[in-house]
């Protein structure tokens, strides 16, 4: 890999991380009637598909189990949802939406659409299609991401550290990946 290609990789990595951090920071600043935007996603999903298991919501909306529990607690405390145990399997908890929750989503239905248009404003249809292909490719590249890096760290731990200060780092690393 030449130095120019490596610089391009570093720049793409930096901008990707910056974009994700900025999005999460901005998203987390928004509260609709006391409910964070991820909570609104839960309400919209229940309206669209009916009662949901908490585990299914976490998986489908890409939330951790801790995040889905915290969001569910807040939604229920606000009177927007109700949790109940499935009669034939008491271990299964289902979340449904209340009339208050439906009214709140209806009143604020324009927020989700505006969120999307704000993010992708000014892009042509071709640019959006290209972005979608890039995102799909990155998602594919993330398959096995942590396992690969953990194996590499394990292999590095098994190799003795070179004593020669002029010797290049193991693994061909050109710069400190974690430096930003």
């Amino acid at each position: 890999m030449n130095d120019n290609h490596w610089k391009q990789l570093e720049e793409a990595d930096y901008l990707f991380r910056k974009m994700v951090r900025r999005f999460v920071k901005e998203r987390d600043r928004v509260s609709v009637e006391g409910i964070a935007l991820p909570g609104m996603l839960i309400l919209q999903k229940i309206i669209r598909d009916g009662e949901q298991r908490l585990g299914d919501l976490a998986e489908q909306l890409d939330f951790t189990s801790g995040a889905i529990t915290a969001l569910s607690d807040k939604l229920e405390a606000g009177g927007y949802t109700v949790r109940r145990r499935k009669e034939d399997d008491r271990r299964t908890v289902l979340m449904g939406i209340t009339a208050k929750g439906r009214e709140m989503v209806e009143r604020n239905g324009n927020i989700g659409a505006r969120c999307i248009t704000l993010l992708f404003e000014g892009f042509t249809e071709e640019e959006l299609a290209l972005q979608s292909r890039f995102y799909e490719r990155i998602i594919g590249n993330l398959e096995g991401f942590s396992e690969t890096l953990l194996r590499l760290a394990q292999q590095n731990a098994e190799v003795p550290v070179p004593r020669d200060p002029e010797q290049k780092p193991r693994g061909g690393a050109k710069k400190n990946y974690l430096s930003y």
Side-chain angles (χ1 to χ4, degrees):
M1 177 180 327
N2 66 40
D3 283 343
N4 189 48
H5 185 72
W6 180 254
K7 287 177 183 174
Q8 288 177 318
L9 285 172
E10 284 187 317
E11 178 73 4
D13 179 66
Y14 170 76
L15 290 171
F16 174 76
R17 291 169 187 281
K18 183 176 182 177
M19 176 191 66
V20 170
R21 285 189 306 267
R22 174 83 50 91
F23 173 75
V24 169
K25 181 180 177 181
E26 290 296 318
R27 180 202 65 196
D28 290 351
R29 292 175 58 192
V30 178
S31 177
V32 179
E33 297 184 35
I35 301 301
L37 286 180
M40 295 292 290
L41 287 174
I42 291 171
L43 293 175
Q44 290 168 341
K45 175 92 171 109
I46 295 170
I47 287 173
R48 188 175 54 253
D49 298 333
E51 280 186 320
Q52 298 286 305
R53 286 182 16 174
L54 295 184
D56 292 343
L57 280 170
E59 184 178 323
Q60 293 166 11
L61 298 175
D62 203 23
F63 296 146
T64 64
S65 59
I68 202 74
T69 300
L71 289 165
S72 299
D73 290 346
K74 186 120 180 155
L75 289 167
E76 193 169 35
Y80 300 111
T81 61
V82 62
R83 284 184 265 198
R84 71 172 183 85
R85 296 205 178 268
K86 215 171 163 188
E87 289 183 25
D88 59 341
D89 182 1
R90 303 281 299 149
R91 294 171 297 169
T92 302
V93 178
L94 297 172
M95 177 172 277
I97 191 163
T98 63
K100 180 180 178 182
R102 285 183 189 283
E103 291 166 6
M104 194 269 278
V105 170
E106 189 173 318
R107 198 171 35 254
N108 295 290
N110 60 346
I111 291 176
R114 187 61 181 130
C115 181
I116 293 170
T117 58
L118 276 171
L119 283 173
F120 298 103
E121 218 163 49
F123 289 105
T124 66
E125 288 183 24
E126 293 81 18
E127 290 170 328
L128 291 170
L130 191 58
Q131 283 184 44
S132 292
R133 287 199 306 274
F134 289 157
Y135 297 148
E136 287 172 358
R137 192 164 176 186
I138 289 172
I139 290 167
N141 288 349
L142 286 170
E143 288 297 320
F145 182 86
S146 59
E147 293 86 358
T148 300
L149 294 177
L150 289 170
R151 272 194 311 275
L152 182 59
Q154 180 64 39
Q155 290 168 359
N156 289 346
E158 296 168 0
V159 176
V161 176
R163 293 193 180 267
D164 181 1
E166 298 296 315
Q167 189 171 359
K168 292 186 179 192
R170 292 188 310 264
K174 298 202 185 227
K175 290 194 178 179
N176 183 358
Y177 179 78
L178 303 174
S179 64
Y180 46 85

